[in-house]
């Protein structure tokens, strides 16, 4: 059984396949009806109107209808497009068991527990016949697929066959009510429209199901006596042919397979059984653990079955339908109807070559599974699952082509897989011993080779090589040298397709295609929601593949798309130009012509063959949102412009590609404020001042216009903006323009006119206009504001422009291959003239000279209804009056007579981005300001989780790798990156940031820490060593020796931090003498410098001696003397203690300390962990901890998580290479 789809739900009592769509209806015991798409595995719809279980459901063959019958005594007819019940048929008096549409007439047959079968006309919505005769529940009733017969099964232990030919001959239902009533009465008491043709008796218990054979005069039935019975009928009688026994509980449902001589049944014994209809023997049994089966249904067109059980349903096939085939050059060999056949692609000629043997056993899936062919020897290997896995080797004589009836003796052997690996050698997989047996064409074993992984299938991978499939990975294995050439983790691979040059491989899984090189280096992965069926490479290196319902393509970079929709699944054998050759499930060869324009276009774009791209744009009809979206996604908006006629889309693409001229033309067509604003922003970014001005004028954005004229030094137009603000009576606009112009008199006038006399007075006084100030003072009287004493006023006057700026200078480059064309798409001759026009458009757009115009004539600029004075004349000077001929009004980018095209230089990549492109060093990421990735690297490499101690250092690294330069007083500060090796040649990998931390600094710091330790300044020493431990992850060195030095420095800092922390803790524990002695003893086991080791031993010796632990004190004294102390005082004290202790070598108190048993110290609890005990380690500093501390922050380095997975310290680019 090959499961295709499975659902989990309430008990499924009724099922029905749609004849065309991949849908199945399931009626549930809960009263719901579910509509599933079994290809996609999704619930399409749900219908709930029945009260109680729904036991029967059926799709109409051609109309968008289905019928259902339930325990509420009703039959409902539904329209799944309208998603509602159309009408309800009432008449049954008990539960309805099954319902079915007639294949031709507008009829429904229903079976009920009221012991009747009813036939309904769903068009007239009436019952046209009632079939009575059963004397117990009628469990099922169905129409014959061709003849005018109905078969029914009942718990009265009989099967009845009814003749409905008289009913079908009626022209229509009776129209007269009295006639219809009498017709129904006669039916109830045995009318003549429907008569019982046969009553089949033979079951010992109630019969649950009976079904017709699709073409033969046979009936099969299943009953509560656990038996299946096969019946034959002719024109006059029907009789029992055979009984099939095997089920161990009630048989729920049984049917004939449409395409094979088999019977399928299911039962409450939780099994589905397959029977041979000719031999009447069981072939196969499929069981479920806990679910009883209730219903079984076959697809009307395809080789699919479905079964409903207690917790859902299952859609399945009994056998694989993929034909076994192999392609060699222009010929394909395949198996069809027990014959080996060949197909020539060039002539499309199909030849029958030789018959192949039928499998000996009667079980399913025994046909050919795959096929391997070698052209030099004209030999074919056919593999199947027969006998637990076997192969057949045929060597075909050259003169045997076309003589399909001549049989050849096959050389057979056992093996789950067999493929040719050379001209006269083939490999057979022996799964039991996990080895490959290499054989010659005489079927003689040449050698045996063990495989590197547990392998369940092998594929050809070049001469002498095999691709071995494991559970979750594939490897390429060289049989001669016995070495693995490549390895790749991949989901279960079903098929392998090599490119024509054997350089690229496609690994096909159920829903995935993985592309890799011949050494299994991953290229890209493709995921599909629908099952992948087959694939082949075309001559351009594009992979063409099929799913259940599409032919698709995949480019080398992983981009994919749909070429064609399929009605039925096909298996691609070869792609030649625009023709896809394939086999269908019946083994018929098909040649499908496809339109390859889309993927050839994308391939040319990917390969940067822009001349091809332009040719295709001119000659083909590539259109659609998908192509435009693809071009935008891949960074070719200028190409996308060629396909677009919608002005808004053209505008967006033009802005994205920086094509200002096209954007201006589109903005004019759209004439929307938002689009003009966006055009202004882009033009300003490019420094195209003329278009910025034009965009602001179109939106009447006077504030932005004024500021634009200020920064470009256009005093003349700034003066006109002042006049416009005056006409608009915009006081703030007037004041800003006066401020921009540096016109103090005008500012004073504006302030005075607006009633701000004190401000006007101060402005006049400060700027030296004493006559105006005196006049204003007279008006103010006693309210004259006083100016602050002792302060020198600064004048608010902008500097006079040295140069009136125009457009920014643009970089002179060659015109791109895609430029020039887009502007002409969908436009007339006028547009072409527009492009070719000459002259600087900005001068032509000068506003009308406002100086020589009456004030009233400016009013129209402001819009309707805005007039400076009531009695002023309306009309005159407005922007609309500036309308020029089309070729003059549209601004154009400045064009030099010496060059064909100008484009703005594209911004380069910041240095900080270059630093981190290929870097795995956390310090370089921090220097670039990319703290998140720096912390991620530290976490992955060293298990660091507490970044609080590192925060100041990360910030210092970032600020230390940049410097800031002041260019001009009015210009912003310029940031400049500081890089290592700036005076040396640039390496291919690029330069790296200069870092403020280095190894030499830390080595100096260690010396200070050593001195602090010697002086007994333990707190200071601990701070210094911890600082070293925190800085080391952010060090970068250049040589292998320095890497070793960094690791050694980490070890030193770790041991000193642990020892110093224990010593400081000991000093706090005056009241616990035993713990004091233990900590002093543990301190001596830290790997310290000799001078500090002696001090630690001296300290421990004195503490233990004073506490009367003489044996332990004597041990420390001996260790101290073994170091040959250079200070006489230390040696003398050790000798004295040793001499005193030897008189009585006992300890007054027992310590948790055994110097004879090697141990490490737990960094959190400061207790010994003796050899053999389990420990966990800090991934950064390497401190040891008891297992209870796993997951805690390390107490020594205070950074990493104890026991975390980490790859290790990376402090040099050499470690990465």
């Amino acid at each position: 059984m090959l499961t295709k789809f499975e659902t989990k739900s309430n008990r499924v009592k009724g099922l029905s396949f749609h004849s065309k769509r991949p849908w199945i209806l399931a009626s549930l015991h809960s009263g719901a009806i579910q509509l599933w798409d079994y290809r996609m595995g999704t619930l399409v719809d749900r219908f709930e109107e029945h009260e109680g279980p729904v036991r029967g459901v059926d799709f109409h063959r051609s109309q968008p209808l289905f019928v259902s019958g339930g325990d509420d005594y009703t039959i409902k007819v539904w329209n799944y497009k309208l998603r509602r019940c159309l009408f309800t048929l009432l008449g049954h008096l008990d539960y309805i068991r099954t319902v079915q549409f007639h294949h031709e007439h507008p009829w429904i047959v229903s079976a009920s527990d009221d012991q009747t079968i009813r036939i309904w006309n769903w068009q007239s919505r009436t019952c046209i016949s009632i079939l009575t005769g059963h004397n117990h529940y009628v469990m099922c009733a169905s129409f014959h697929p061709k003849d005018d017969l109905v078969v029914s099964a009942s718990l009265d232990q009989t099967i009845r066959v009814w003749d409905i030919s008289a009913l079908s001959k009626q022209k229509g239902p009776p129209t007269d009510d009295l006639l219809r009533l009498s017709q129904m009465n006669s039916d109830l008491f045995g009318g003549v429209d429907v008569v019982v043709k046969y009553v089949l008796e033979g079951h010992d218990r109630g019969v649950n199901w009976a079904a017709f054979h699709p073409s033969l005069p046979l009936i099969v039935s299943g009953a509560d006596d656990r038996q299946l019975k096969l019946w034959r009928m002719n024109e006059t009688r029907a009789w029992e042919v055979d009984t099939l026994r095997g089920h161990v509980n009630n048989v729920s449902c049984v049917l004939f397979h449409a395409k094979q001589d088999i019977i399928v049944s299911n039962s409450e014994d939780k099994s589905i059984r397959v029977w041979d209809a000719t031999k009447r023997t069981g072939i196969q049994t499929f069981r479920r653990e806990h679910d009883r089966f209730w219903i079984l249904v076959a697809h009307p067109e395809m080789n699919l079955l479905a079964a409903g059980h207690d917790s859902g349903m299952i859609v399945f096939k009994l056998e694989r339908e993929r034909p076994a085939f192999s392609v060699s050059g222009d010929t394909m060999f395949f198996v069809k109807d027990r014959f080996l056949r060949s197909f020539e692609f060039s002539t499309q000629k199909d030849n029958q070559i030789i018959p192949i043997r039928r499998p000996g056993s009667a079980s399913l899936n025994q046909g050919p599974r795959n096929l391997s062919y070698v052209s030099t020897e004209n030999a074919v290997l056919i593999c199947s699952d027969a006998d637990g896995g076997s192969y057949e080797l045929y060597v075909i004589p050259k003169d045997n082509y076309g003589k399909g009836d001549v049989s050849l003796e096959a050389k057979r052997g056992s093996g789950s897989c067999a493929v040719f690996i050379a001209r006269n050698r083939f490999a057979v997989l022996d799964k039991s011993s996990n080895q490959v047996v290499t054989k010659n064409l005489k079927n003689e074993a040449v050698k045996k080779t063990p495989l590197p992984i547990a392998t369940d299938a092998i594929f050809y991978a070049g001469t002498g090589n095999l691709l071995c499939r494991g559970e979750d990975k594939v490897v390429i294995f060289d049989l001669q040298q016995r070495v693995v050439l490549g390895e790749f983790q991949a989901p279960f691979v079903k098929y392998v397709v090599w490119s024509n040059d054997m350089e690229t491989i496609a690994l096909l899984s159920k829903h995935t295609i993985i592309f890799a090189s011949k050494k299994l280096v991953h290229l890209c992965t493709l995921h599909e929601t629908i099952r992948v069926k087959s694939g082949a490479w075309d001559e351009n290196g594009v992979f063409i593949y099929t799913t259940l319902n599409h032919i698709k393509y995949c480019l080398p970079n992983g981009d994919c798309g749909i070429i064609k929709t399929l009605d039925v699944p096909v298996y691609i054998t070869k792609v030649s130009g625009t023709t896809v050759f394939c086999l269908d499930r019946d083994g018929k060869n098909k040649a499908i012509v496809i339109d390859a324009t889309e993927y050839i276009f994308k391939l040319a774009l990917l390969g940067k063959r822009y001349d091809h791209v332009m040719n295709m744009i001119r000659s083909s009809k590539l259109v659609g949102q998908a192509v435009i979206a693809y071009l935008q996604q891949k960074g070719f908006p200028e190409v996308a412009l060629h396909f677009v006629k919608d002005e808004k889309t053209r505008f967006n693409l033009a802005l994205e590609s920086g094509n200002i001229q096209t954007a201006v033309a589109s903005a004019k067509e759209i004439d929307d404020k938002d689009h003009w604003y966006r055009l202004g922003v882009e033009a300003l970014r490019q420094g195209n001042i003329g278009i910025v001005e034009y965009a602001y004028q179109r939106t009447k954005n006077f504030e932005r216009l004024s500021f634009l004229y200020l920064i470009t030094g256009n005093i003349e137009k700034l003066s006109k903006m002042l006049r416009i603000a005056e006409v608009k009576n915009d006081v703030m606009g007037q004041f800003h323009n006066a401020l921009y112009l540096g016109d103090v008199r005008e500012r004073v006038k504006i302030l005075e006119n607006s009633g701000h006399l004190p401000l006007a007075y101060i402005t006049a006084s400060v700027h030296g206009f004493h006559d105006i100030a005196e006049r204003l003072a007279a008006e103010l009287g006693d309210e004259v504001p006083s100016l602050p004493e002792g302060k020198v006023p600064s004048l608010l006057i902008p500097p006079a422009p040295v140069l009136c700026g125009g457009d920014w200078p643009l970089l002179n480059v060659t015109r791109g291959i895609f430029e020039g064309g887009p502007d002409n798409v969908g436009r007339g001759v006028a547009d072409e003239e527009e492009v070719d026009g000459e002259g600087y458009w900005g001068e032509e757009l000068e506003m009308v000279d406002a100086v020589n115009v009456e004030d009233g004539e400016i009013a129209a600029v402001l819009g309707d209804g805005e007039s400076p004075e009531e009695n002023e004349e309306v009309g005159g000077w407005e922007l609309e009056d500036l309308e020029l001929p089309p070729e003059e009004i549209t601004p154009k980018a400045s064009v030099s007579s010496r060059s064909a095209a100008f484009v703005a230089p594209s911004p380069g990549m910041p240095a900080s981005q270059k630093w981190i492109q290929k870097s795995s060093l956390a310090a370089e990421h921090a220097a670039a300001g990319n703290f998140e990735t720096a912390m991620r690297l530290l976490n992955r490499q060293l298990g660091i989780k507490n970044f609080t101690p590192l925060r100041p250092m990360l910030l210092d690294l970032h600020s230390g790798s940049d410097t800031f330069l002041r260019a001009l007083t009015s210009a912003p500060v310029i940031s400049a990156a500081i890089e290592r090796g700036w005076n040396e040649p640039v390496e291919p990998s690029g330069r790296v940031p200069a870092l403020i931390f280095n190894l030499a600094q830390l080595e100096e710091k260690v010396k200070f820490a050593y001195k602090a330790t010697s002086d007994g300044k333990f707190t200071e020493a601990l701070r210094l060593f911890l600082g070293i431990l925190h800085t080391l992850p952010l060090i970068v060195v250049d040589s292998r020796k320095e890497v070793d030095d960094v690791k050694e420095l980490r070890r030193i800092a770790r041991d000193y931090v642990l020892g110093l922390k224990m010593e400081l803790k000991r000093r706090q524990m005056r009241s616990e003498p035993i713990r004091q002695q233990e900590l002093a003893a543990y301190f001596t086991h830290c790997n310290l410098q000799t001078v500090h080791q002696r001090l630690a031993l001296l300290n421990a010796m004195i503490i233990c001696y004073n506490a009367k632990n003489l044996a332990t004190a004597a041990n420390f004294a001996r260790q101290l003397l073994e170091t040959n102390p250079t200070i006489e005082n230390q040696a003398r004290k050790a000798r004295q203690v040793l001499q005193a202790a030897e008189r009585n070598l006992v300890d007054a108190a027992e310590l948790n300390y055994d110097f004879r048993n090697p141990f490490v110290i737990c960094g959190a609890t400061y207790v010994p962990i003796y050899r053999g005990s389990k420990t966990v380690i800090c991934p950064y500093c390497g401190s040891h901890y008891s297992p209870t501390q796993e997951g805690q922050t390390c107490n020594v380095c205070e950074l990493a998580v104890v026991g975390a997975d980490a790859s290790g310290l990376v402090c040099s680019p050499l470690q990465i290479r």
Side-chain angles (χ1 to χ4, degrees), residues 334 340-344 349-354 401-402 404:
F334 65 104
L340 176 67
R341 307 178 72 90
S342 70
F343 178 77
E344 292 178 12
K349 187 179 177 184
D350 190 335
N351 293 314
Q352 186 169 298
I353 299 175
I354 53 168
Y401 279 83

Side-chain angles (χ1 to χ4, degrees), residues 89-203:
L89 300 173
L90 302 172
H92 278 297
L93 308 174
D94 209 334
Y95 296 169
I96 295 160
R97 294 283 176 174
T98 65
V99 286
Q100 186 197 13
F101 280 110
H102 194 275
H103 61 279
E104 190 177 303
H105 297 293
W107 295 346
I108 295 167
V109 65
S110 58
S112 169
D113 285 3
D114 65 7
Q115 304 180 14
T116 68
I117 300 147
R118 289 181 179 244
I119 298 176
W120 312 77
N121 185 316
W122 58 265
Q123 287 181 341
S124 63
R125 305 183 184 182
T126 56
C127 177
I128 58 173
S129 189
I130 303 173
L131 285 60
T132 57
H134 285 294
N135 53 32
H136 208 309
Y137 299 164
V138 184
M139 300 301 288
C140 84
S142 60
F143 291 112
H144 192 282
K146 293 174 184 174
D147 300 333
D148 291 327
L149 298 173
V150 168
V151 66
S152 62
S154 169
L155 294 188
D156 64 7
Q157 303 179 15
T158 67
I159 299 118
R160 291 181 177 241
V161 179
W162 311 77
D163 186 345
I164 58 170
S165 55
L167 197 65
S168 64
K169 287 170 185 170
Q170 287 184 2
K171 298 300 181 188
T175 52
D176 186 76
D177 288 343
L178 291 171
L179 281 173
R180 182 176 299 154
L181 186 60
S182 64
Q183 177 74 37
M184 298 293 273
N185 287 334
S186 67
D187 279 349
L188 277 168
F189 300 104
V192 293
D193 282 347
V194 180
V195 295
V196 179
K197 194 168 185 181
Y198 316 114
V199 178
L200 309 178
E201 296 177 322
H203 284 288

Side-chain angles (χ1 to χ4, degrees), residues 551-568:
I551 298 178
K552 293 187 167 186
Y553 67 84
C554 181
L555 300 182
N557 66 339
D559 292 334
C560 58
I562 296 173
I563 297 174
K564 191 178 180 73
T565 303
L566 296 170
D567 295 326
V568 292

Side-chain angles (χ1 to χ4, degrees), residues 612-625:
H612 291 203
V613 173
M614 285 304 294
N615 288 334
M616 293 183 74
I617 289 170
R618 294 190 189 103
S619 60
S620 66
K621 296 179 180 178
L622 266 172
V623 289
Q625 291 297 323

Side-chain angles (χ1 to χ4, degrees), residues 894-1160:
S894 305
V895 178
S896 166
S897 58
R898 292 174 287 128
S899 175
F902 295 96
V903 295
S906 57
M909 187 185 291
S912 58
Q913 196 173 333
K914 292 179 185 173
W915 293 343
I916 62 172
Q917 266 187 323
K918 297 178 182 177
S919 173
S920 295
L921 298 168
E924 293 179 354
H925 283 258
N930 207 336
F931 299 120
E932 189 178 342
T933 55
M935 291 191 288
R936 204 179 298 131
L937 283 168
L938 289 171
N939 179 261
R940 192 168 69 229
Q941 294 168 0
L942 300 173
I944 294 176
K945 200 169 184 180
N946 177 26
F947 290 97
T948 307
L950 300 183
R951 186 174 185 274
M953 283 174 276
L954 292 171
L955 293 171
D956 289 348
L957 273 172
H958 177 47
S959 57
S961 62
D962 285 285
T963 187
F964 300 92
L965 310 172
R966 181 176 288 281
L968 301 168
T969 51
S970 58
V973 173
I974 298 170
S975 169
I978 306 173
E979 298 181 325
R980 289 206 306 275
W982 56 270
N983 55 351
E984 298 169 7
V986 182
E987 294 184 13
S989 58
R991 288 206 177 98
V992 289
L995 303 177
I996 61 170
F997 302 125
N998 57 53
L999 188 58
Q1001 289 174 345
L1002 296 188
E1003 287 172 345
E1004 283 297 314
K1005 204 171 184 179
V1006 167
K1007 293 176 185 176
F1008 287 114
Y1010 282 159
K1011 187 173 187 311
T1013 307
S1014 301
D1015 295 344
K1017 299 175 182 176
F1018 292 154
T1019 306
E1020 174 67 13
L1022 179 61
R1023 185 184 64 79
L1024 290 169
F1025 278 118
L1026 259 179
I1028 292 167
L1029 215 48
H1030 292 166
T1031 310
L1032 280 172
L1034 303 174
I1035 289 290
V1036 176
V1037 295
D1038 298 323
S1039 68
R1040 295 280 183 193
K1041 180 184 177 301
E1042 287 179 320
V1043 172
D1044 295 337
D1045 291 344
V1046 167
K1047 291 179 179 177
E1048 177 61 19
L1049 195 55
R1050 176 179 61 175
R1051 199 270 313 152
I1052 291 169
R1054 175 198 68 207
D1055 285 347
Y1056 270 88
V1057 168
L1058 177 61
L1060 291 168
K1061 283 193 172 187
M1062 286 194 296
E1063 179 60 20
L1064 289 169
K1065 187 176 178 71
R1066 182 191 67 78
R1067 295 187 176 193
Q1068 296 169 4
M1069 305 178 76
R1070 300 289 183 190
S1071 59
E1072 298 179 43
I1074 293 176
R1075 185 62 176 151
Q1076 267 199 323
Q1077 292 174 69
E1078 288 173 350
L1079 290 173
Y1082 302 154
F1083 191 13
T1084 65
H1085 284 261
C1086 293
N1087 196 351
L1088 309 177
Q1089 295 288 307
T1090 305
V1091 61
H1092 302 138
Q1093 189 74 25
R1094 289 171 184 156
L1095 290 169
L1097 287 166
L1098 182 66
N1099 185 45
M1101 178 187 76
I1102 292 169
I1103 291 169
C1104 290
Y1105 184 79
N1106 292 339
K1108 307 301 182 193
N1109 273 12
L1110 302 181
T1112 307
N1115 171 52
F1116 290 134
R1118 276 192 291 272
Q1119 288 184 52
L1120 178 57
L1121 290 171
E1122 285 170 4
T1123 64
N1124 297 319
T1126 53
I1127 300 172
E1128 180 55 33
N1129 188 35
Q1130 292 178 355
R1132 188 177 68 254
K1133 284 183 180 178
R1135 283 192 291 271
Q1136 288 172 350
V1137 167
L1138 196 58
Q1139 188 177 358
E1142 280 177 349
R1143 299 191 195 108
N1144 185 20
L1145 274 174
V1146 291
D1147 284 337
E1150 186 179 349
L1151 304 180
N1152 181 13
Y1153 173 65
D1154 181 0
F1155 65 88
R1156 297 179 189 85
N1157 192 355
F1159 63 84
V1160 291

